[in-house]
Amino acid sequence: MSANLNPSAGYNLNATQNGGAAPPCQNGPGQTYPSVYHAAGYYSSHPQSYPPVMGQGPAPSGKAPVMNSQYHPSYYHNSHPQPVQPTVRAGPPVYDAAQTQVSQSCSATGAPPSSAHHAPQHPPPFKPLTSYPAPYYAPYPASQGLAATAASSAPLYPVASYSSAPGANQYSTVRSSQAPQAQLYQGPPGIGAPPTAVSTAPCTYARPPSGPQVAVNGQVSAVSSPVLQHYDQTQPVVTQSYKALDGDGAGERPPSGTPSNSVHSSPGHHPGADSSTTGSSSPVPNNYESLEDGSYPDSSSLPPPPPSSKAVPPFGYSYPNLHPAYQQKPASRTDTTPSYGGCNPPGYQPFSQPFPNMSQLSTALGGLSGVPELQVEGLRPVNLLQERNILPPSPLPDPEPNLSADLRKVNCSPDTFRCTLTNIPQTQALLNKAKLPLGLLLHPFRDLTQLPVITSNTIVRCRSCRTYINPFVTFLDQRRWKCNLCYRVNDVPDEFMYNPVTRSYGEPHKRPEVQNSTVEFIASSDYMLRPPQPAVYLFVLDVSHNAVETGYLTIFCQSLLDNLDKLPGDTRTRLGFVTFDSTIHFYNLQEGLSQPQMLVVSDIEDIFLPTPDSLLVNLKESRELVKDLLSSLPGMFTHTRETHSALGPALQAAYKLMSPTGGRVSVFQTQLPTQGAGLLQSREDPNLRSSTKGVQHLGPATDFYKKLALDCSGQQIAVDLFLLTSQYSDLASLACVAKYSAGSIYYYPSFHHVHNLPQLEKFQKDLQRYLTRKIGFEAVMRIRCTKGLSIHTFHGNFFVRSTDLLSLANVNPDSGFAVQMSIDESLADTSLTCFQAALLYTSSKGKRRIRVHTLCLPVVSQLSDVFAGADIQAVTCLLANMAIDRSVSSSLSDARDALVNAVVDSLSAYRNTSNLQPAGLVAPSALRLFPLYVLALLKQKALRTGTSTRLDDRVFAMCEFKSQPLQHVMRLVHPNLYRVDNLSDQGALHLNDRMVPQPQLLQLTAEKLTREGAFLMDCGSLLYLWVGKSCSEPFIRDVLGCPDHSSIPQNMSQIPELDNPSSARMRTFLSWLQESRSFWPVLHVVKDDASAKTSFFQHLVEDRTESAFSYYEFLLHIQQQMSK
Amino acid sequence: MAFTFAAFCYMLALLLTAALIFFAIWHIIAFDELKTDYKNPIDQCNTLNPLVLPEYLIHVFFCIMFLCAAEWLTLGLNMPLLAYHVWRYMSRPVMSGPGLYDPTTIMNADILAYCQKEGWCKLAFYLLSFFYYLYGMIYVLVSS
């Protein structure tokens, strides 16, 4: 029992650290681990003791300050010729020996004094700490000078002497007498002793003596994780700013309904505040738990330590800390949801830290040979034709790579970074055999609850491939680390030896960079080509007759007025407006004017800026004028008769206006551009909307918008397109302007402020989010991967600058990217592969920052392992991206065939590997949803044929697939269906003070619907509430506030707030669903006879339509194809 | 031995093929630079695109010359490439200027590999045809 509990707790810590499933809004980690350190005074004595340590201890090799300048001269992370590496590398075998001895002696010699001294007076430091008085690096500079001098005297790390008694003795003794480690090394007394409630040391030390280092490691990481939180607290500024930026998302939760740990506390929590929440609603595990997380999960191979009541909270209490799979259905832990406790089979050997060298690494991985249950589960053959209820009752759990517990704990959150195959095949041949696509899905700029931000003079990177140091590098010894991507051995710079978290020296492996796979660096000026740009926003508004008719202008102006103060930016923020019909209107908002001045340029052939200086103005200085303009703008064009739209020239003007600074251009367009450059003709033939043959005109009609986007991208301008239209507007051409400048596309078909209220509401909510969400300017993202892998194709909105570099003029938290990979060289000589995505951007506050995500995955040589590790959601998303590319470059029917073939091929490949030849259609359990998802894809607006689909709708759906993050795409492809008329608190989720009901997921078939029920369908940006004709009166009365079914209004889009338990439950559930995404979904209440019924039923993908297979027919079709 | 029109065609083709070999080499180098990150795809496409039509036109030009000289075998050998050029230009992406290469898709590994392979194949073809023209020229000069 306890053995099971602990690993899950460990998992939870992982999620929290990475911001995993935690709510995406408060980057300020303030409220978490609030009280790790007390006794700032206690530590404050340490710095004084440093210099002597430095003098005596083994000398560092290499001088950080000198190397700084060599380290990152290039703005774009280009690799560059490496300076000669100063250290001589000692042979690994020598090293192993030395190392083990050292660590042994460390623990042995270091322990007694520490346990004598410190253990009593320094019980785990869990009292609340109000603040860390000393500045982050305060003690360091003092010792740095000394370190540098010492370094010059001994350039080579004295490997041999290190293990010899005197040096090691001094070193370890001093070290252990200094810092919190003291407590760690209190080993000896604890050996063999029964574990106690408070101290976690004993259980790790209860290991056989052969692995003392391992034991220490477990301990080390245990302590350092809370420490990291603390470390964050030392950056209150950052915390604050993030909160401000993400303010609107205060209640947001991650997609996928994995609210696991995440009961984040209210935004009111601030750094240093003790969260003081109880176990059940605490946003993070309490300190004891987190301490254990580091050490217990490894100990499954040991006799399970009897958990004390203090250490392991009662089951009910620890609820939020468990994995979602547990949380949601504790009772239904069926065989379809693998038990997480089982993920750490006895075979796992904990390993790592101080300096896990190669041999250790391989032993650790050797432990993997016992195939974990998860993998076995992934391979369980499922006969799809017989399995009627293929859908699991709760959302699919996130994929778990088959890694050791330590690595898994630090691995990147699957919401941010995931791979289609969690087991990477060794060779391209093996990958080809599996017939599954290999690729990554990224959501790099996601709102995170918790993000370690590192300010450091030296950003430690590999000197040959420029990889950032990450948790998966190997420390060969104190002074050298081995890059996990190119295997080059690098020096550890001096500065890195000092750990600001523990304030101790000589522990590079405990630095936050090495403890977290998602970190953010504050970059130095080496990462700038020019001074960081201010936040600049330009709004380009269509004011032709058509636009005024839709009434969007009023809503936009109101929304911007409301959010003027929330626009991300600082005192330099600049704002500008351009409106256009057949002419271009500029607005002079220069400070000092009594009212805004409109300047009309009617020469649209050769556009020029009337007054270049005063059109983009400082928001702070001209706030009143901006407000004036926004309040008068809607009225200015009410009687316009101008029906033409000169979008092209307006965009050219915007480009001219923005090019000196870069920034964001938001274009609002309501019709086909009819004048000037970039004018378009209607290409849609309404008669072909439902043709089954093929769809024309999916590509752009002109390259004007693409070229403009590339120019914009070069000047760091992103163009976001809002298309509010009722007629065909050739989105295929217009979208290019956003696609290649890294913008976003929003589409509101048949928008009207009176006649289409749901769209209106959606537009308002979207604008609210759009205006206030975080933004990164002049960004680039580079994706590096282990030698042998290479990037094949990118999918998303950006411009590909080189083989692994994306140029993103702006980056926003709602865009996702997909990358296809290929295997160039065999990965046989490595057991782990890593992928690192580094996003360099300028924050809205004018800070240059680098966000680094690192994902580590195992390499396998067996085809069956490749199948077992397939992440079907990621595979589906990647296939969707590939299919869309194919449909634009080739044809829609090609793309559809390719999708079907993908299923046929991979299932045939599986059939060929498994010896058994059972009848029916057999899929490995990991792929059991593959046919369903592909069928759903084929029925999407983007890819369907035979059903009437407007061209713009189709193109927009394609754009969404390419630019949305995985969770959103999955909800589009396969919506979640719940029965909601009988919501109960059974199995509900406890969040703070709320109980969120967790109804079962239903299959998307009309068979599951009954007239007696009410069903909620969650399609990402839309929620449908379908109310059956004979739905129970109490439900209609209590929840919808109507006396009976017939009196439910036609266009109901809100659930009234009624004071009764069922209404409360329903609203909690709805708001929980809505919080989990960044864009507010619109609710449609669908009556049995309403016209919206059609669109509701179109989402029931398992049913047959006139032109498409039902799920069962599709399976038969696949079986038939396979037998050919 | 007489200097016929056919001999003139071969001599001209010889010179022009030498030029085409340079085009092909330039093409290969350019894509290699793209692959190794030395150049920005926009710049590279801007330098490559203007060269596409001249290359095709040169080839068309000496094909017509061979047609006039009634060198059917030589013309026949060149027909596949001619057809390929026509097809390639017909199926180019939507572009306002001349050329084939679109900076937004050129970094796609498939397209990059295709372009590189195309470069090598053309280089081989031009080299072989260079020697063939040399042979053809001498043959025509000697036989007539």
Side-chain angles (χ1 to χ4, degrees):
Chain A
M1 180 62 193
S2 61
N4 263 354
L5 261 179
N6 290 326
S8 52
Y11 176 81
N12 171 56
L13 172 68
N14 175 19
T16 328
Q17 275 195 352
N18 290 337
C25 40
Q26 305 151 284
N27 271 329
Q31 76 283 16
T32 55
Y33 295 101
S35 50
V36 176
Y37 275 124
H38 71 125
Y42 174 78
Y43 294 122
S44 61
S45 61
H46 293 147
Q48 285 93 308
S49 66
Y50 261 159
V53 180
M54 288 309 310
Q56 293 165 6
S61 62
K63 289 174 261 179
V66 179
M67 290 194 295
N68 276 351
S69 54
Q70 303 169 339
Y71 257 39
H72 28 62
S74 85
Y75 174 77
Y76 282 121
H77 309 212
N78 274 329
S79 52
H80 56 94
Q82 324 135 13
V84 182
Q85 194 196 1
T87 36
V88 177
R89 196 183 149 203
V94 179
Y95 236 92
D96 288 344
Q99 201 130 23
T100 336
Q101 281 186 22
V102 169
S103 54
Q104 276 174 354
S105 69
C106 264
S107 50
T109 54
S114 66
S115 54
H117 280 17
H118 295 276
Q121 44 166 283
H122 183 52
F126 295 141
K127 284 186 208 155
L129 164 81
T130 43
S131 73
Y132 219 160
Y136 191 81
Y137 267 123
Y140 186 57
S143 61
Q144 195 175 21
L146 276 167
T149 41
S152 55
S153 65
L156 174 62
Y157 195 65
V159 178
S161 70
Y162 193 83
S163 62
S164 71
N169 248 339
Q170 272 178 1
Y171 184 74
S172 56
T173 317
V174 176
R175 210 167 74 156
S176 57
S177 67
Q178 283 184 17
Q181 287 81 355
Q183 183 216 348
L184 307 181
Y185 294 128
Q186 59 177 289
I191 289 183
T196 58
V198 178
S199 161
T200 53
C203 26
T204 38
Y205 270 78
R207 271 162 206 295
S210 63
Q213 187 178 355
V214 173
V216 171
N217 294 340
Q219 195 67 21
V220 162
S221 55
V223 170
S224 54
S225 24
V227 156
L228 280 177
Q229 312 311 319
H230 162 74
Y231 167 84
D232 291 341
Q233 288 180 11
T234 62
Q235 312 254 346
V237 181
V238 170
T239 311
Q240 290 298 349
S241 71
Y242 273 81
K243 264 191 192 156
L245 292 178
D246 300 323
D248 74 306
E252 281 163 11
R253 226 152 290 273
S256 94
T258 51
S260 52
N261 39 11
S262 52
V263 205
H264 59 338
S265 39
S266 70
H269 276 275
H270 47 85
D274 191 340
S275 68
S276 77
T277 32
T278 56
S280 69
S281 61
S282 156
V284 285
N286 68 41
N287 300 309
Y288 291 107
E289 283 169 326
S290 51
L291 261 180
E292 284 148 20
D293 288 342
S295 52
Y296 278 159
D298 309 337
S299 55
S300 47
S301 60
L302 301 169
S308 69
S309 58
K310 219 171 178 179
V312 181
F315 200 90
Y317 261 79
S318 62
Y319 222 119
N321 297 333
L322 293 175
H323 188 272
Y326 278 134
Q327 267 181 347
Q328 288 168 351
K329 296 265 158 199
S332 70
R333 206 190 294 163
T334 59
D335 57 344
T336 48
T337 42
S339 127
Y340 274 83
C343 293
N344 293 321
Y348 276 104
Q349 289 295 323
F351 85 104
S352 104
Q353 264 71 21
F355 323 109
N357 50 32
M358 281 325 271
S359 65
Q360 279 171 324
L361 206 68
S362 52
T363 29
L365 288 160
L368 296 178
S369 55
V371 188
E373 285 173 32
L374 198 70
Q375 304 283 321
V376 174
E377 166 58 30
L379 273 179
R380 185 172 58 87
V382 177
N383 189 343
L384 295 174
L385 289 170
Q386 283 170 7
E387 199 91 4
R388 243 184 118 62
N389 292 316
I390 198 81
L391 206 64
S394 56
L396 281 185
D398 288 331
E400 280 283 317
N402 182 14
L403 291 167
S404 74
D406 274 341
L407 288 183
R408 199 186 299 167
K409 203 175 60 186
V410 293
N411 218 349
C412 200
S413 152
D415 289 335
T416 306
F417 206 155
R418 64 206 265 181
C419 184
T420 55
L421 302 176
T422 54
N423 292 329
I424 302 287
Q426 218 167 46
T427 57
Q428 181 73 36
L430 187 61
L431 177 62
N432 291 345
K433 260 191 226 161
K435 304 277 185 195
L436 288 169
L438 175 62
L440 304 171
L441 287 128
L442 285 126
H443 190 183
F445 203 55
R446 200 163 75 87
D447 288 325
L448 295 168
T449 23
Q450 212 177 332
L451 177 70
V453 180
I454 294 160
T455 319
S456 160
N457 295 331
T458 327
I459 295 175
V460 183
R461 302 175 63 180
C462 172
R463 292 171 93 182
S464 85
C465 67
R466 311 299 296 151
T467 299
Y468 295 83
I469 196 163
N470 58 66
F472 312 106
V473 301
T474 324
F475 281 95
L476 296 176
D477 59 53
Q478 288 255 328
R479 307 295 319 186
R480 294 179 309 156
W481 60 279
K482 189 170 179 185
C483 176
N484 53 339
L485 268 63
C486 67
Y487 309 117
R488 184 190 203 272
V489 177
N490 293 277
D491 290 342
V492 176
D494 261 350
E495 194 184 341
F496 202 73
M497 296 297 288
Y498 173 70
N499 187 347
V501 178
T502 55
R503 299 190 148 202
S504 54
Y505 190 83
E507 288 165 335
H509 54 275
K510 282 195 218 156
R511 293 265 307 194
E513 294 95 319
V514 188
Q515 293 285 339
N516 291 281
S517 56
T518 295
V519 290
E520 186 152 292
F521 296 98
I522 309 277
S524 62
S525 54
D526 300 324
Y527 291 83
M528 301 170 194
L529 281 182
R530 57 174 188 180
Q533 67 162 81
V536 183
Y537 306 110
L538 179 71
F539 297 94
V540 179
L541 308 164
D542 184 358
V543 292
S544 61
H545 177 74
N546 197 25
V548 173
E549 268 301 283
T550 61
Y552 89 91
L553 206 56
T554 327
I555 295 148
F556 165 76
C557 290
Q558 192 52 47
S559 188
L560 186 56
L561 266 178
D562 295 344
N563 293 302
L564 212 50
D565 298 318
K566 296 185 204 148
L567 281 179
D570 52 12
T571 53
R572 302 185 300 158
T573 305
R574 294 163 73 186
L575 208 59
F577 297 88
V578 171
T579 55
F580 67 95
D581 38 34
S582 62
T583 54
I584 316 291
H585 322 133
F586 296 91
Y587 296 87
N588 185 345
L589 299 168
Q590 190 65 325
E591 192 191 8
L593 289 174
S594 59
Q595 62 176 51
Q597 228 173 35
M598 180 164 146
L599 306 158
V600 180
V601 174
S602 50
D603 180 12
I604 54 171
E605 294 308 315
D606 181 22
I607 202 79
F608 64 94
L609 301 180
T611 55
D613 300 330
S614 49
L615 299 176
L616 273 178
V617 291
N618 188 306
L619 177 59
K620 213 175 142 216
E621 289 164 3
S622 305
R623 175 178 299 269
E624 288 314 310
L625 282 171
V626 169
K627 284 187 172 169
D628 255 19
L629 177 64
L630 285 176
S631 40
S632 59
L633 203 54
M636 281 161 70
F637 299 97
T638 35
H639 302 296
T640 183
R641 295 243 175 105
E642 191 54 73
T643 52
H644 285 294
S645 156
L647 176 66
L651 285 172
Q652 285 172 329
Y655 168 67
K656 282 198 173 152
L657 201 51
M658 297 286 277
S659 49
T661 49
R664 181 175 82 187
V665 177
S666 316
V667 181
F668 294 78
Q669 169 74 6
T670 60
Q671 56 171 320
L672 206 62
T674 50
Q675 271 197 341
L679 71 100
L680 297 168
Q681 258 97 39
S682 178
R683 296 189 290 168
E684 189 188 31
D685 179 357
N687 299 326
L688 296 178
R689 276 183 191 162
S690 55
S691 118
T692 47
K693 285 203 192 92
V695 181
Q696 302 292 306
H697 309 306
L698 289 172
T702 160
D703 68 340
F704 171 81
Y705 294 98
K706 184 195 285 180
K707 277 161 100 179
L708 190 73
L710 292 182
D711 290 343
C712 285
S713 174
Q715 301 297 327
Q716 310 293 352
I717 305 164
V719 184
D720 292 340
L721 178 68
F722 287 79
L723 191 62
L724 312 113
T725 155
S726 44
Q727 279 158 6
Y728 175 73
S729 313
D730 203 351
L731 185 60
S733 304
L734 292 182
C736 289
V737 75
K739 250 186 214 167
Y740 301 112
S741 65
S744 355
I745 300 158
Y746 300 87
Y747 176 56
Y748 304 89
S750 38
F751 180 86
H752 195 276
H753 67 299
V754 179
H755 304 315
N756 197 341
L757 289 178
Q759 286 288 8
L760 174 77
E761 192 190 352
K762 184 166 163 49
F763 180 56
Q764 280 173 326
K765 302 275 194 203
D766 285 4
L767 263 184
Q768 156 86 17
R769 161 79 182 164
Y770 173 77
L771 292 172
T772 54
R773 70 183 178 189
K774 258 178 76 169
I775 183 168
F777 296 99
E778 38 185 6
V780 285
M781 180 162 78
R782 196 183 279 277
I783 299 172
R784 299 183 172 85
C785 40
T786 299
K787 207 170 75 183
L789 291 168
S790 68
I791 293 171
H792 189 274
T793 309
F794 291 98
H795 301 277
N797 289 355
F798 45 68
F799 172 60
V800 188
R801 274 275 312 265
S802 79
T803 42
D804 58 351
L805 184 74
L806 301 180
S807 149
L808 303 159
N810 283 2
V811 59
N812 68 67
D814 302 319
S815 55
F817 304 92
V819 182
Q820 270 170 264
M821 310 283 305
S822 57
I823 304 171
D824 295 344
E825 298 164 33
S826 165
L827 301 168
D829 50 353
T830 173
S831 51
L832 294 175
T833 49
C834 288
F835 305 91
Q836 187 171 69
L839 177 73
L840 173 66
Y841 68 98
T842 302
S843 75
S844 51
K845 305 272 183 236
K847 280 256 163 42
R848 204 78 179 136
R849 286 164 166 254
I850 310 165
R851 190 173 288 190
V852 180
H853 305 283
T854 316
L855 177 73
C856 177
L857 295 172
V859 176
V860 294
S861 55
Q862 294 300 316
L863 192 52
S864 57
D865 292 336
V866 177
F867 281 118
D871 173 356
I872 195 57
Q873 296 198 329
V875 168
T876 311
C877 282
L878 189 63
L879 279 177
N881 276 308
M882 291 160 68
I884 283 156
D885 267 7
R886 176 74 76 93
S887 56
V888 175
S889 66
S890 171
S891 75
L892 195 62
S893 50
D894 254 22
R896 289 170 57 89
D897 290 348
L899 279 176
V900 178
N901 287 339
V903 183
V904 172
D905 290 348
S906 60
L907 292 188
S908 321
Y910 172 73
R911 191 182 55 186
N912 296 340
T913 54
S914 56
N915 299 327
L916 53 153
Q917 288 279 349
L921 184 62
V922 180
S925 174
L927 293 182
R928 70 189 189 283
L929 294 175
F930 197 15
L932 178 60
Y933 284 160
V934 166
L935 179 67
L937 267 182
L938 293 175
K939 292 187 177 183
Q940 287 306 299
K941 269 187 187 163
L943 295 167
R944 71 186 178 192
T945 53
T947 312
S948 176
T949 313
R950 300 195 329 178
L951 193 53
D952 277 349
D953 289 2
R954 187 186 293 275
V955 171
F956 177 68
M958 290 184 167
C959 294
E960 267 203 316
F961 276 133
K962 294 211 69 164
S963 61
Q964 293 293 329
L966 179 129
Q967 300 293 353
H968 186 83
V969 171
M970 277 325 289
R971 270 193 293 252
L972 285 179
V973 172
H974 193 269
N976 294 334
L977 182 68
Y978 310 93
R979 180 166 185 169
V980 289
D981 61 322
N982 52 1
L983 288 180
S984 73
D985 281 341
Q986 202 185 2
L989 197 68
H990 300 242
L991 291 176
N992 280 343
D993 49 347
R994 302 187 300 170
M995 295 274 280
V996 182
Q998 296 291 299
Q1000 229 189 357
L1001 275 184
L1002 299 176
Q1003 289 186 261
L1004 292 172
T1005 162
E1007 187 188 322
K1008 299 282 176 190
L1009 304 179
T1010 63
R1011 278 160 178 268
E1012 287 80 35
F1015 295 84
L1016 185 76
M1017 186 189 279
D1018 172 10
C1019 315
S1021 51
L1022 277 176
L1023 293 174
Y1024 291 103
L1025 178 63
W1026 183 82
V1027 186
K1029 223 170 198 158
S1030 15
C1031 182
S1032 66
E1033 294 267 316
F1035 175 80
I1036 297 179
R1037 197 178 52 239
D1038 292 349
V1039 177
L1040 300 176
C1042 302
D1044 54 15
H1045 185 265
S1046 55
S1047 59
I1048 300 173
Q1050 280 290 333
N1051 279 325
M1052 194 172 174
S1053 61
Q1054 234 136 27
I1055 298 284
E1057 276 193 38
L1058 300 174
D1059 188 23
N1060 61 61
S1062 17
S1063 171
R1065 263 197 290 269
M1066 184 69 186
R1067 280 181 288 115
T1068 325
F1069 183 57
L1070 277 176
S1071 61
W1072 175 71
L1073 286 178
Q1074 290 173 334
E1075 280 161 8
S1076 69
R1077 58 211 75 188
S1078 42
F1079 286 101
W1080 198 264
V1082 175
L1083 178 77
H1084 286 276
V1085 177
V1086 183
K1087 269 166 57 171
D1088 217 8
D1089 48 358
S1091 60
K1093 205 173 115 180
T1094 333
S1095 49
F1096 173 76
F1097 279 98
Q1098 271 176 3
H1099 289 289
L1100 297 175
V1101 293
E1102 290 191 29
D1103 289 339
R1104 191 167 195 284
T1105 64
E1106 308 125 41
S1107 52
F1109 288 132
S1110 73
Y1111 178 58
Y1112 190 76
E1113 286 169 334
F1114 185 64
L1115 289 180
L1116 290 178
H1117 176 70
I1118 288 175
Q1119 194 183 21
Q1120 196 188 356
Q1121 295 284 312
M1122 278 170 69
S1123 57
K1124 265 183 195 167
Chain B
M1 183 167 167
F3 190 76
T4 59
F5 180 64
F8 171 73
C9 282
Y10 277 114
M11 284 173 77
L12 199 67
L14 204 61
L15 291 175
L16 291 176
T17 310
L20 287 182
I21 289 173
F22 280 109
F23 272 101
I25 292 174
W26 174 250
H27 189 98
I28 291 167
I29 292 174
F31 280 101
D32 198 61
E33 276 176 345
L34 268 185
K35 205 167 194 174
T36 48
D37 293 3
Y38 280 117
K39 283 269 177 78
N40 184 327
I42 300 181
D43 299 342
Q44 202 65 292
C45 288
N46 286 343
T47 56
L48 282 175
N49 276 334
L51 295 179
V52 174
L53 274 187
E55 182 195 330
Y56 289 6
L57 288 179
I58 289 174
H59 187 248
V60 169
F61 172 67
F62 64 71
C63 283
I64 294 173
M65 297 284 281
F66 284 126
L67 182 70
C68 298
E71 289 292 324
W72 304 118
L73 178 67
T74 315
L75 188 64
L77 290 176
N78 272 303
M79 279 321 278
L81 186 65
L82 195 67
Y84 173 76
H85 280 166
V86 172
W87 170 81
R88 184 97 163 93
Y89 209 77
M90 298 290 277
S91 60
R92 70 180 194 142
V94 179
M95 286 172 81
S96 45
L100 287 175
Y101 308 108
D102 176 1
T104 56
T105 53
I106 196 79
M107 294 309 293
N108 192 321
D110 283 335
I111 295 181
L112 203 57
Y114 178 84
C115 290
Q116 268 186 316
K117 204 186 282 173
E118 185 193 28
W120 284 109
C121 290
K122 274 192 183 172
L123 181 63
F125 182 85
Y126 290 145
L127 271 176
L128 288 177
S129 51
F130 181 82
F131 290 110
Y132 172 77
Y133 298 149
L134 193 63
Y135 163 81
M137 181 183 75
I138 295 168
Y139 184 82
V140 170
L141 285 176
V142 170
S143 63
S144 53

